[in-house]
Amino acid sequence: MNSEVKYATVIKVIGRTGSRGQVTQVRVQFTDDSKRQITRNVKGPIREGDILTLMESEREARRLH
């Protein structure tokens, strides 16, 4: 397991998910590797341009249907 912290910038807000819409699905781009992008679920207020601190950077969220 990777214990190092990664930083990623939100490049696109995809939509709301969760049983009550409390989670936002976003596409992020890593600051150290500009070619790598993944989809993550974020709880709380978020918008494009925000920087996330990811404790774990290998897992990717499932796509919204």
Side-chain angles (χ1 to χ4, degrees), residues 5-49:
V5 173
K6 299 266 188 177
Y7 296 101
T9 305
V10 177
I11 57 173
K12 182 179 180 185
V13 176
I14 298 170
R16 306 288 280 190
T17 185
S19 60
R20 296 184 187 94
Q22 71 274 22
V23 177
T24 307
Q25 198 165 66
V26 296
R27 190 91 181 145
V28 297
Q29 183 172 10
F30 289 95
T31 55
D32 60 344
D33 184 8
S34 61
K35 294 178 183 173
R36 187 163 169 231
Q37 297 178 357
I38 63 170
T39 303
R40 292 298 296 245
N41 291 331
V42 180
K43 191 170 183 178
I46 193 80
R47 61 183 174 197
E48 289 183 22

